[in-house]
Amino acid sequence: MLPSIRRIGILTGGGDAPGLNAAIRSVVKTAILRYGWQVIGFEDGYEGAILGRARELGLADVRGLLVRGGTILGASNRADPFHFQHPQLGDSQPSDHSRTLLATLDRFGVDALVVLGGEGSLTIAHRLHQLGLRVVGVPKTIDNDIRGTTQSIGFDTAVTTATDAIDRLHTTAESHHRVMLVELMGRDAGWIALHAGVAGGADVILVPELPFALERIVEVVERRRSRGRHFTIVAVAEGARPAGGEAVFERTGPLPYQRKYGGIAVVLQQQLGTLLPNEVRAVVLGHLQRGGTPTPFDRALATALGAAAVDTLAAGDHGVMVAVREHPAGRATWGVVRVPLAEVAGGPRLVPLDHPLVHAALGMGISFAVPDEERIGG
Ligand code: F6P
C-alpha cells in the first residue's frame, strides 16, 4: 500500500503552450484548497526534477496566472531523464538519469508528480510510472497531436492567432493580387493548418497527412483568376510535403528535439513564382502561435484538466493522462476522462482523412492540392 499523498511535484515539459500557467494555477489551488497538500514546482521540465532545481508553490505564487502565457516554471524540450547529460552530474556523455530523478523527488518529499507535457514528455512520464512513480499527465501542445485526447491545452489559442493572421493576410493579398502562403506550426500533424485554414477561409490547405501536388495549387490560383478572384491564400502546415517528396527542415539531427521543421512556405514561394503571373509571398508565423494570453477556452480547459489531475491522484489513480472527450453522458459539449499513459505513448495523433472538417472544407471549395482529390471525397 502506497503512503497517502501530502506533497506533489509539478513540471512543464516540452515546448511552452498558452494555458500552461492556468493549469499550474489549477493544480496548485486544487491541491492546497481541496486536499491540504503542498506543491513543489520543478524548473525547466525534467531538468529541474533531475538536478533538484525547485521551489514550493503557494497560493500567492499562482495569483494572476490565469491570463499569463508561457510557464512560470520554465520548459525544456531537451531534458529526457533516460538520456541526459549535464555538467552538474559530471557526465562525459548522455546517460540514464531516471533513478537520479526519482532520488531527487524523494529528497523533496514528493509523493506523486503531475507532468504537463506533449507526446514526448508524457512518454517519459509513462516510463517513470513503470519505475514505480505515481504520475498523472496533463496534455498540452499547440500541435494538438496527443493520442487519447481530442484537444490539448494551447491548441485553441494557436488556432486563434493563426486565424487572425489569415484574416489579416486576406486584405493585403486582395489589394496586391498576390498568392500568400502562410506557414503554420504542427510538426507531423496538420491540425492547426486545418482548423485555421477553414476558420480563416483559406483557398488551399496543405497538411502533412495529405502530400500535395504543386500543379494542383497552380490550378486553384488559375481557377480563381478566371472567376475574377486575383488573389489566393494558402495555409501551409510546416510539415507539409509534396507527394513523393520530402518535408523541409530548418535543421536536423539524430535526436528528436534537434529536428526542426521550417521553410516549406519559402520553397513554395520560389517554385510557384516561376509558374504563376501573380506575385507569391511567404509568411512564417512561427512562435507567435505559442506566445501570448490563452483564449477563454484554453483557460477553462487548463483549469478543468489541472483540477482533474489532482483529483485523479487523490482518488488513488495514477499512470494515466487526464483527457478531453466528447461528453460521454451528453450533458455538456466535452468532459474529462482518464487514459492510460501507455496509450498516449506511441507517436503523434494525425488528422484522419475522414475528419469532418476535411469533408466540410472540400464542400467549401477549399483544396488540399492532393494529386487525386476524389480519394478524400473532393
Ligand atoms: O511542438 C510545438 C512546436 O511549437 C511545434 O509546432 C514546432 O515545430 C516546434 O514546437 C518548435 O520547437 P522550438 O520552439 O524548439 O523551435
Side-chain angles (χ1 to χ4, degrees):
M1 174 101 168
L2 289 162
S4 60
I5 293 174
R6 303 165 64 112
R7 185 182 278 193
I8 60 170
I10 179 171
L11 62 83
T12 50
D16 71 334
L20 272 177
N21 276 329
I24 294 171
R25 169 181 176 270
S26 174
V27 167
V28 169
K29 290 189 81 164
T30 307
I32 294 175
L33 297 175
R34 187 174 286 164
Y35 299 107
W37 297 346
Q38 289 178 314
V39 183
I40 303 293
F42 291 94
E43 294 170 5
D44 302 328
Y46 287 109
E47 184 165 319
I50 300 168
L51 302 177
R53 276 204 319 270
R55 59 184 190 267
E56 183 168 353
L57 296 176
L59 295 176
D61 298 300
V62 297
R63 234 169 252 149
L65 280 196
L66 197 54
V67 298
R68 204 161 128 193
T71 160
I72 57 159
L73 288 175
S76 166
N77 50 15
R78 285 147 202 250
D80 175 355
F82 294 91
H83 189 84
F84 188 74
Q85 180 182 14
H86 194 276
Q88 194 177 313
L89 299 170
D91 311 291
S92 55
Q93 58 185 26
S95 55
D96 184 350
H97 278 293
S98 51
R99 300 278 168 192
T100 317
L101 181 147
L102 297 181
T104 306
L105 297 188
D106 255 3
R107 185 153 55 84
F108 278 87
V110 163
D111 304 306
L113 186 67
V114 175
V115 172
L116 282 64
E119 185 213 334
S121 305
L122 295 174
T123 301
I124 292 168
H126 173 53
R127 294 182 70 187
L128 293 172
H129 182 251
Q130 287 175 319
L131 294 179
L133 180 67
R134 273 184 279 189
V135 58
V136 170
V138 177
K140 71 80 224 173
T141 167
I142 64 163
D143 302 343
N144 206 33
D145 62 350
I146 302 174
R147 288 187 189 200
T149 185
T150 50
Q151 191 136 346
S152 54
I153 297 167
F155 175 64
D156 187 64
T157 307
V159 168
T160 301
T161 303
T163 305
D164 179 58
I166 295 174
D167 288 347
R168 288 168 191 276
L169 286 175
H170 259 103
T171 54
T172 176
E174 183 165 18
S175 305
H176 288 269
H177 318 301
R178 282 174 173 157
V179 174
M180 295 294 250
L181 301 146
V182 56
E183 183 174 309
L184 303 170
M185 280 184 164
R187 295 195 302 175
D188 303 299
W191 293 106
I192 297 176
L194 175 63
H195 280 253
V198 169
D203 307 297
V204 180
I205 300 175
L206 305 180
V207 293
E209 294 86 347
L210 290 167
F212 61 86
L214 197 64
E215 56 274 21
R216 289 278 178 269
I217 307 174
V218 172
E219 278 169 25
V220 172
V221 177
E222 282 169 352
R223 194 165 60 233
R224 284 177 56 76
R225 194 182 317 117
S226 72
R227 292 178 188 153
R229 307 293 276 160
H230 295 279
F231 72 99
T232 297
I233 304 282
V234 185
V236 194
E238 61 181 356
R241 60 182 185 281
E246 299 294 325
V248 182
F249 290 95
E250 188 184 293
R251 60 190 150 92
T252 55
L255 297 172
Y257 67 77
Q258 291 169 331
R259 216 174 55 127
K260 296 289 174 204
Y261 284 109
I264 179 70
V266 171
V267 168
L268 284 175
Q269 175 187 354
Q270 285 156 359
Q271 293 175 341
L272 290 169
T274 63
L275 300 171
L276 290 165
N278 311 57
E279 228 185 309
V280 184
R281 302 296 278 269
V283 177
V284 180
L285 216 52
H287 290 84
L288 287 172
Q289 293 158 100
R290 288 217 320 237
T293 303
T295 57
F297 181 84
D298 267 333
R299 295 180 210 178
L301 180 66
T303 303
L305 291 178
V310 178
D311 289 340
T312 299
L313 287 171
D317 200 0
H318 44 86
V320 294
M321 174 183 80
V322 287
V324 182
R325 289 281 168 82
E326 308 311 320
H327 199 285
R331 278 178 285 123
T333 48
W334 53 275
V336 178
V337 295
R338 296 173 197 165
V339 180
L341 280 170
E343 279 177 30
V344 178
R349 184 178 72 101
L350 303 179
V351 176
L353 301 193
D354 60 353
H355 192 279
L357 214 45
V358 173
H359 182 70
L362 291 167
M364 298 295 107
I366 297 172
S367 171
F368 290 91
V370 292
D372 47 350
E373 210 136 80
E374 54 286 353
R375 184 164 68 93
I376 51 167

